[in-house]
Each structure stands twice: as structure tokens, then as C-alpha cells.
């Protein structure tokens, strides 16, 4: 009877997970490309998503690639779809746009309604061109993404909101969702959940914004919220790093979820065992990254239940009395009483050896992200400047002269000039690409969980 009840409970959990899943998880061999504007180009959400897979599925062969370019609309993305995006050979293509498409300052002008309608129609027409091309793709799973919102509700000093802009963006999200349904594509909405989070926090802190203060670009915590929403859509809520449950009195393993427990021993009041998990805990960066950022990735845990839903490495030991100190690989982790251990402690929130192993993965992934950003700045010069000049991928002295002749009129050309001068050279591009690949190879060498010696010693 007990076995039947356990089987029924497992089946119900699987059904609940399937009901929550709206986007298929990435699979072994996938090449997931994220197409977007500056929020994708300079942002971390796709990198944070890959970090989850790097730590949770350490044996999966997966590549996640940034195909964003700052300042672009759906029309701009359509123009570079084949040369820049599809050349990355995606098996999964996530598509988002809308911030630049819907315009800016005119919303505070005399005819904001007409302006918003005009920009919406332009965006819709541009997307229809892209949609036709996407419909022809073979072997590519398309995910439409309702992008992060324009924050109209935060009270930000010296930054008056563009009233009505986000309503037009919501209409864009609406036709993105409709297109996904009509074409059998998948869909994830960032906009509505992020608006709700902003309003919830702003009720007590009116100046709060998930953006970096410009109402447009999410901060690091905002990008982690986006990663959480994407992973939740893939059905990962409730999936634990590991779940260890032990009956101390009987020296018996009650549960070894997503892990293997061997050599369990009770020596007097001391409990010890070997622990090999199938995943690493997800590391959350406490430092800020990116120009204009003020908050860290880790601060997202104040906004969404990522720890509770997706980052639980639970150790539960029943039948203990008094205080016990936990050691992992001989290192003191902390002290808890029997009641706390009986209720379970989350190792993923502690500085354990396996957490530090995951942090190495996190930092290497950040270095990879920085190199990839150099290539996205190079792509901006190619597709948003040279392509219109008939000089796409020319990379010669004439192209440099054309760029230098116009950089005085274009601040972005000035900013990207040095990076372009390096990456226009094929051997420099090749070496930088090799650096990035070496980082990925190193990540997948060091991200394999190791057997850890766990000891609970009475105080």
C-alpha cells in the first residue's frame, strides 16, 4: 500500500510539473540562441540560464549564445537574421523585441496616442517579415519572449516616465503570444510578472525599479528574475539539487534524491557518510556587473522564490538531540540543534566545498560572457553600420576610413572603434573565440560533482 501511495505521489508531482511547464527544457546537443536588443546584448539573463544548466546538468552538452544588439528593432533583427543569428546554427531560437520598436520621448508629447499606434504598426509589420523567415526554419525550435517592461510606476528622481509606452509594449507582447500560438511555437512572458514585482515592492519603496534607474535596462537582479521566469517556464520549479534524509537512530538512509549516499555510519553520537550529488548548487553572485548596475544577481532572491523552488540541497537528519556541528571534507560548515537538523537545512545557502566548486563555474562563465560581449559590440558595427554602407564583413582599410569619417557624428561608433579595430583582424577573432571555447571546456571539466565526506559531530 505504501509503495502504491508513493507511486501516486510521484505521478501527481510529474503531472504538476508538466502543467507548469510551457517551454521544453534544453536537451543534450542543443544550441540555444537568444535574439534581442540591448537588454539581451548587454544583459545576463541568458548567461544565468546557462549557469543553471552548467551546475544542474553537468554532463549535458549545451551551448547558450547571445545574439542581441543594442538599439535594435524587429526590423533591424530581421536584416541580420541570416548573417548573424542563424549562422550560429541554433536548435532553439528565443526571440524578443519591443523596447526600441515602441519609441520613446514622443509619449510625453502632444499626440502620444497617435505616435504609439504608429510605432505599434511599424513593429507589427517588421515582425511579420521576420515571422515568414522563422516559419521556413527546419530543425529550429522557436520561443517567443515577451520582453522586460518599461517601468512607468517607479518614482525616480530626474526621470519622468514616458506615460503609455508600456501599454504599447504590452500590445507587442500580445501579438508575440498570438504568433507563437498560431505557429506552434513556445512563449514566455517576462513583462507581466516583472510589472507585478515592481508594483509590489514599490508599495513600500516607491523609488524601486528592476531596471538600473533608466526604466529600461534591468539590473543584475532583474536579469536573474528573468532567468528564474524562463527556467520556471521550463518546468524546473520544485527540482532540487539533492535531498538527503537520514534516520540517525537506525543509521538508515530514508531518501537519497538526485544523489548517492554510501558508507553511512553511527559512531557513538557521531554520524558520517559519503555524499555524491548529481548536481551542484546554483551560485549567486554578490557583486555587480555591467555598466550602470547597482545591484547584484543574489539580490533577486528578495524578489522571487528562486532558492525555495530551484536551489534546495537539503540535508535532513532525524532523531538527534542537542547541538551538532557539520563538517564537509573536514571543513566546519556550521552548528545546528537536533530540531533544526530534523526539519532540514539547505546546503545550497552555505559556503560548502561544493558551493565553492560551483562558484568557480560562475566566475568562468562570467569571463566567457565578457568575451562574448566583445563579439556583440563587433556585431553592432557590422550590422548596424557597415551593412547599410554595403561594407558588411569588409574589414579592410576602406571600411576603417568610412567608420572614422562618421564616428564624430555617432557616439556608438566612437565607443566601439577600439574593439572593432582589434576584432576586424581574423586571427584576433579566432584567438578570442578559442579563449571563449577554452573557458567553456574548463567549465565542463570542473563542474562534475565530487564525493564529499559528511560528518555530524556532537558538541
Amino acid at each position: 500500500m505504501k509503495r502504491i501511495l508513493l507511486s501516486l505521489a510521484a505521478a501527481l508531482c510529474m503531472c504538476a510539473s508538466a502543467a507548469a511547464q510551457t517551454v521544453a527544457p534544453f536537451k543534450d546537443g542543443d544550441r540555444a540562441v537568444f535574439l534581442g536588443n540591448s537588454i539581451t546584448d548587454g544583459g545576463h539573463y541568458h548567461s544565468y540560464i546557462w549557469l543553471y544548466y552548467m551546475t544542474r546538468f553537468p554532463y549535458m552538452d549545451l551551448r547558450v549564445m547571445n545574439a542581441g544588439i543594442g538599439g535594435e528593432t524587429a526590423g533591424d533583427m530581421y536584416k541580420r537574421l541570416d548573417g548573424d543569428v542563424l549562422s550560429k546554427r541554433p536548435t532553439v531560437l528565443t526571440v524578443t523585441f519591443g523596447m526600441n520598436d515602441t519609441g520613446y520621448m514622443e509619449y510625453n508629447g502632444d499626440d502620444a496616442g497617435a505616435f504609439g499606434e504608429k510605432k505599434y504598426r511599424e513593429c507589427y509589420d517588421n515582425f511579420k517579415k521576420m515571422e515568414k523567415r522563422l516559419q521556413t526554419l527546419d530543425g529550429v525550435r522557436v520561443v517567443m519572449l515577451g520582453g522586460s517592461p518599461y517601468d512607468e510606476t517607479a518614482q525616480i528622481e530626474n526621470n519622468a516616465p514616458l506615460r503609455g509606452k508600456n501599454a504599447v509594449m504590452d500590445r507587442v507582447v500580445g501579438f508575440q503570444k498570438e504568433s507563437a500560438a498560431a505557429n506552434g511555437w513556445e512563449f514566455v512572458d517576462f513583462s507581466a510578472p516583472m510589472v507585478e514585482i515592481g508594483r509590489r515592492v514599490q508599495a513600500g519603496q516607491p523609488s524601486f525599479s528592476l531596471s538600473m534607474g533608466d526604466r529600461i535596462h534591468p539590473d543584475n537582479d532583474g536579469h536573474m528574475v528573468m532567468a528564474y521566469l524562463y527556467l520556471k517556464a521550463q518546468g524546473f520549479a520544485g527540482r532540487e539539487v539533492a535531498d538527503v534524509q537520514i534516520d540517525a537512530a537506525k543509521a538508515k538512509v530514508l531518501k537519497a534524491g538526485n544523489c548517492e549516499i554510501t558508507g553511512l555510519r553511527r559512531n557513538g553520537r557521531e554520524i558520517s557518510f559519503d555524499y555524491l550529488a548529481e548536481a551542484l548548487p546554483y551560485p549567486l553572485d554578490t557583486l555587480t556587473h555591467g555598466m550602470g548596475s547597482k545591484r547584484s544577481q543574489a539580490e533577486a532572491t528578495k524578489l522571487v522564490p528562486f532558492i525555495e523552488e530551484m536551489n534546495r540541497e537539503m540535508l535532513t537528519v532525524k532523531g538527534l538531540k542537542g547541538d551538532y556541528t557539520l563538517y564537509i571534507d573536514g571543513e566546519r560548515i556550521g552548528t545546528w540543534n537536533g530540531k533544526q537538523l530534523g526539519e532540514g537545512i539547505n546546503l545550497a545557502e552555505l559556503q560548502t566545498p561544493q558551493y565553492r566548486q560551483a562558484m568557480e563555474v560562475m566566475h568562468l562563465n562570467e569571463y566567457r560572457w565578457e568575451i562574448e560581449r566583445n563579439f556583440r559590440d563587433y556585431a553592432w558595427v557590422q550590422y548596424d553600420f557597415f551593412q547599410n554602407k554595403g561594407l558588411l564583413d569588409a574589414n579592410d582599410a576602406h571600411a576603417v576610413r568610412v567608420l572614422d569619417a562618421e564616428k564624430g557624428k555617432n557616439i556608438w561608433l566612437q565607443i566601439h572603434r577600439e574593439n572593432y579595430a582589434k576584432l576586424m583582424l581574423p586571427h584576433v577573432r579566432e584567438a578570442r573565440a578559442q579563449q571563449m571555447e577554452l573557458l567553456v571546456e574548463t567549465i565542463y571539466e570542473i563542474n562534475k560533482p565530487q564525493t564529499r565526506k559528511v560528518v555530524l559531530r556532537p558538541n
Side-chain angles (χ1 to χ4, degrees):
M1 182 64 179
K2 184 177 180 182
R3 183 175 295 177
I4 293 173
L5 290 174
L6 287 173
S7 298
L8 179 59
L12 288 172
C13 287
M14 289 177 66
C15 289
S17 177
Q21 179 185 313
T22 58
V23 175
F26 301 134
K27 62 182 187 301
D28 195 53
D30 266 342
R31 298 173 62 83
V33 174
F34 285 77
L35 170 62
N37 51 36
S38 61
I39 295 167
T40 299
D41 176 6
H44 274 80
Y45 71 94
H46 38 77
S47 181
Y48 293 159
I49 291 168
W50 195 5
L51 181 59
Y52 178 88
Y53 279 85
M54 288 170 173
T55 51
R56 196 59 53 92
F57 304 103
Y59 295 93
M60 180 182 289
D61 179 16
L62 173 68
R63 291 294 185 273
V64 175
M65 287 166 274
N66 180 348
I69 288 185
E72 286 202 337
T73 66
D76 299 319
M77 295 175 201
Y78 169 70
K79 292 177 184 177
R80 64 179 174 91
L81 196 57
D82 283 274
D84 181 33
V85 182
L86 298 178
S87 65
K88 299 181 187 299
R89 299 179 289 111
T91 59
V92 182
L93 177 60
T94 296
V95 180
T96 184
F97 53 86
M99 186 65 74
N100 300 310
D101 305 73
T102 49
Y104 291 99
M105 300 310 297
E106 290 84 347
Y107 286 100
N108 286 347
D110 295 332
D111 202 356
F115 174 76
E117 182 62 29
K118 174 176 176 289
K119 299 305 289 185
Y120 171 80
R121 294 311 313 177
E122 287 177 0
C123 182
Y124 182 85
D125 292 343
N126 282 330
F127 171 67
K128 282 300 176 181
K129 299 174 188 175
M130 185 192 298
E131 183 184 51
K132 286 183 179 179
R133 181 67 183 98
L134 296 178
Q135 288 168 343
T136 68
L137 300 182
D138 185 31
V140 180
R141 183 159 60 87
V142 176
V143 181
M144 295 301 300
L145 181 61
S148 57
Y150 175 81
D151 189 348
E152 292 185 27
T153 55
Q155 296 180 19
I156 302 174
E157 188 175 357
N158 299 321
N159 189 333
L162 304 174
R163 299 297 183 189
K165 174 177 170 62
N166 202 57
V168 181
M169 290 181 63
D170 281 343
R171 292 178 66 193
V172 172
V173 172
F175 76 65
Q176 290 170 331
K177 185 175 182 179
E178 290 171 1
S179 174
N183 289 288
W185 300 334
E186 295 159 296
F187 175 77
V188 184
D189 182 23
F190 285 172
S191 181
M194 293 180 76
V195 167
E196 179 56 33
I197 290 169
R199 286 176 174 163
R200 186 182 74 227
V201 180
Q202 288 161 9
Q205 187 181 341
S207 63
F208 174 82
S209 177
L210 278 168
S211 79
M212 294 183 289
D214 62 1
R215 303 183 183 273
I216 295 168
H217 298 93
D219 210 320
N220 290 293
D221 57 347
H223 277 280
M224 186 59 203
V225 168
M226 293 157 71
Y228 161 80
L229 292 170
Y230 198 96
L231 292 167
K232 191 178 180 78
Q234 289 188 315
F236 290 121
R239 187 184 183 107
E240 294 176 321
V241 179
D243 186 3
V244 178
Q245 297 181 23
I246 290 173
D247 183 330
K250 297 179 181 178
K252 179 180 178 181
V253 178
L254 301 176
K255 184 177 181 181
N258 207 44
C259 66
E260 181 181 353
I261 303 299
T262 55
L264 175 62
R265 295 182 56 200
R266 176 163 186 159
N267 183 12
R269 292 175 62 205
E270 181 177 288
I271 301 292
S272 64
F273 57 88
D274 293 326
Y275 164 57
L276 176 60
E278 295 180 17
L280 295 176
Y282 187 94
L284 288 156
D285 203 337
T286 57
L287 301 177
T288 60
H289 296 279
M291 183 176 63
S293 295
K294 298 180 178 65
R295 297 188 303 275
S296 71
Q297 176 194 17
E299 292 180 73
T301 59
K302 303 172 186 175
L303 307 171
V304 291
F306 176 76
I307 296 290
E308 297 82 354
E309 291 185 2
M310 299 183 196
N311 203 28
R312 285 165 58 85
E313 185 184 11
M314 298 305 297
L315 172 62
T316 304
V317 184
K318 300 181 182 299
L320 296 178
K321 294 182 180 180
D323 293 341
Y324 279 76
T325 298
L326 172 66
Y327 296 86
I328 300 180
D329 291 348
E331 180 181 337
R332 183 185 182 280
I333 305 302
T335 299
W336 293 266
N337 60 41
K339 182 176 183 296
Q340 292 169 320
L341 289 165
E343 293 173 348
I345 59 174
N346 186 2
L347 299 178
E349 296 185 279
L350 305 172
Q351 288 293 319
T352 62
Q354 59 267 33
Y355 190 87
R356 286 199 300 277
Q357 182 185 354
M359 285 181 65
E360 287 192 287
V361 173
M362 177 190 76
H363 289 305
L364 289 170
N365 188 42
E366 186 66 24
Y367 284 134
R368 178 205 60 80
W369 177 88
E370 291 173 1
I371 297 173
E372 189 175 43
R373 279 288 305 109
N374 292 155
F375 277 100
R376 297 321 301 160
D377 288 344
Y378 172 77
W380 182 93
V381 177
Q382 292 292 353
Y383 290 97
D384 281 17
F385 180 71
F386 283 135
Q387 183 170 242
N388 297 329
K389 303 288 186 182
L391 293 170
L392 182 63
D393 294 326
N395 291 336
D396 56 18
H398 173 62
V400 173
R401 286 194 294 270
V402 171
L403 186 155
D404 285 342
E406 296 202 25
K407 69 179 183 182
K409 299 177 288 185
N410 188 323
I411 184 63
W412 293 109
L413 284 177
Q414 295 178 39
I415 291 171
H416 297 319
R417 171 64 169 82
E418 181 180 353
N419 185 67
Y420 171 73
K422 297 172 182 176
L423 290 181
M424 68 176 284
L425 304 171
H427 289 98
V428 175
R429 290 199 304 277
E430 181 181 352
R432 292 293 273 167
Q434 288 173 353
Q435 280 183 300
M436 193 157 52
E437 185 58 29
L438 178 60
L439 288 166
V440 173
E441 289 175 1
T442 304
I443 285 169
Y444 279 94
E445 287 172 3
I446 70 167
N447 71 338
K448 308 300 185 288
Q450 303 171 20
T451 299
R452 305 290 181 181
K453 186 69 174 182
V454 179
V455 177
L456 274 167
R457 191 167 293 152
N459 288 4

